[in-house]
Amino acid sequence: MNASIKAPKPIVRVPRDDLSPVRVEVASLSKSFGPQTVLADISLSVAPGEIFTIMGPSGSGKSVLLRHIAGLETPTRGTVTINGQDPQLPATRDRFALALVFQAGALFNSLTVYENLALYPLERRIHSKADIHQRVMRALHILSIEGAAHKLPAELSGGMKKRVAIARALVMEPQLILFDEPTSELDPIMSATIAEIIATLKEQIAITTIVVSHDRDLALTISDRVAILHQGRLRAVEKPAALRQSPDPVIQDFLNPKIDIRHPRFKQLEASHE
Ligand SMILES: Nc1ncnc2c1ncn2[C@@H]1O[C@H](COP(=O)(O)OP(=O)(O)OP(=O)(O)O)[C@@H](O)[C@H]1O
Ligand SMILES: [Mg+2]
């Protein structure tokens, strides 16, 4: 054999005998960055197949919590498990094909949509080329963006980029998908479309979904349960109907914010314009 010709890397099949959605357990999770405690004693359990939304004011620790579930952060105290396994272990992430859809999409600008979708599975050599092609086409179909397969990210609208980012996560057929602000920067119609896509994903593939969002309509419409995070603590975990009825003023203020133009901050603004 000619030594200069590289033998193709073997296809590494990750054992995925059980393709059902997974359970996520967060137990007494605390996280500090230096002196700042960002998450304080969070415990929650997300059931297989559930759509679970995490809401809360800016800076309340939502993204940090999501990153722990994705295995991208080490808890200061407490644990996170996916079907009993530690998400920080690459083997766990591979086994459940855990997918995180970042707010900004994080697409490669020099690659077409098709190439963006195929890149990770091709690199990991978890599936054959023909299999990857089928998976990519199926993901494009689920998100109704087949027509964009050969476009570059710069040629897409913001809403299409979001859809491509979701499609890329679906290629690996994840049993757990995590979304950070999937509808931010989108108009209300595209936001509703993305919410519908998230809601119908579980009819197309067996999947557990965790969404971090400020989008009240999305949270109260498509979620099985909603958690409210406030100053690093869990303020409530409720079904949407119960949350709407919550007597907690913090939750009501968050769900139904009112603009009070007599508030001192508007006076300051007025003064600064004079
Ligand atoms: N790597 C880090 N190092 C230090 N502090 C961090 C780090 N990541 C997050 N924080 C801090 O943790 C707090 C919570 O951040 P997080 O990103 O979770 O907020 P969030 O609820 O997602 O807010 P937003 O709605 O604005 O996205 C913030 O005060 C942030 O500055
Ligand atoms: Mg965030």
Side-chain angles (χ1 to χ4, degrees):
M1 194 175 121
N2 185 340
S4 67
I5 299 174
K6 266 202 198 158
K9 280 199 275 173
I11 292 173
V12 191
R13 293 206 185 277
V14 176
R16 296 192 56 200
D17 33 273
D18 174 12
L19 277 176
S20 53
V22 295
R23 175 179 294 281
V24 176
E25 295 277 357
V26 176
S28 309
L29 174 68
S30 296
K31 178 69 175 180
S32 303
F33 292 108
Q36 186 193 7
T37 299
V38 173
L39 297 174
D41 200 23
I42 306 279
S43 293
L44 55 87
S45 174
V46 181
E50 194 171 19
I51 299 181
F52 189 91
T53 303
I54 302 165
M55 297 186 85
S58 196
S60 57
K62 304 178 299 293
S63 294
V64 172
L65 175 55
L66 201 68
R67 288 173 57 81
H68 277 87
I69 297 170
L72 301 174
E73 298 275 2
T74 307
T76 305
R77 271 188 303 282
T79 54
V80 176
T81 56
I82 297 173
N83 276 12
Q85 314 283 312
D86 178 357
Q88 286 202 291
L89 300 175
T92 306
R93 292 205 294 269
D94 276 353
R95 183 176 182 87
F96 302 118
L98 190 162
L100 173 60
V101 181
F102 292 95
Q103 176 166 353
L107 301 175
F108 290 101
N109 288 328
S110 59
L111 300 182
T112 65
V113 167
Y114 184 97
E115 289 164 344
N116 262 286
L117 264 61
L119 182 69
Y120 183 79
L122 280 176
E123 275 194 344
R124 298 299 309 268
R125 299 199 58 80
I126 292 170
H127 306 287
S128 69
K129 265 193 179 167
D131 194 8
I132 291 168
H133 175 73
Q134 273 197 346
R135 284 161 174 264
V136 168
M137 296 316 291
R138 179 159 180 252
L140 291 172
H141 175 72
I142 291 175
L143 276 301
S144 312
I145 46 172
E146 296 101 322
H150 299 294
K151 290 196 167 166
L152 291 168
E155 298 168 315
L156 304 176
S157 71
M160 285 180 95
K161 277 188 206 161
K162 291 258 187 208
R163 284 200 255 182
V164 174
I166 299 173
R168 186 172 58 175
L170 294 187
V171 169
M172 299 304 289
E173 293 183 359
Q175 286 159 278
L176 173 63
I177 191 163
L178 313 172
F179 293 95
D180 199 349
E181 302 286 0
T183 61
S184 60
E185 302 156 49
L186 298 181
D187 70 50
I189 293 172
M190 186 49 72
S191 295
T193 305
I194 297 281
E196 270 167 31
I197 288 168
I198 295 173
T200 49
L201 271 186
K202 69 176 180 186
E203 288 157 23
Q204 312 199 39
I205 45 178
I207 199 162
T208 304
T209 307
I210 303 181
V211 188
V212 160
S213 183
H214 284 294
D215 185 335
R216 178 178 169 275
D217 290 340
L218 172 144
L220 296 178
T221 311
I222 69 166
S223 313
D224 294 303
R225 285 184 304 151
V226 181
I228 304 279
L229 208 55
H230 183 70
Q231 298 177 345
R233 293 187 177 275
L234 263 191
R235 188 89 189 186
V237 180
E238 300 275 13
K239 293 191 165 138
L243 203 63
R244 285 177 200 271
Q245 306 297 326
S246 169
D248 183 340
V250 169
I251 292 174
Q252 284 308 328
D253 276 356
F254 181 69
L255 292 181
N256 305 296
K258 291 186 182 65
I259 297 173
D260 177 3
I261 55 166
R262 287 161 308 177
H263 192 280
R265 67 173 166 254
F266 288 99
K267 293 283 174 227
Q268 281 164 12
L269 268 180
E270 267 174 31
S272 71
H273 287 155
E274 276 165 13

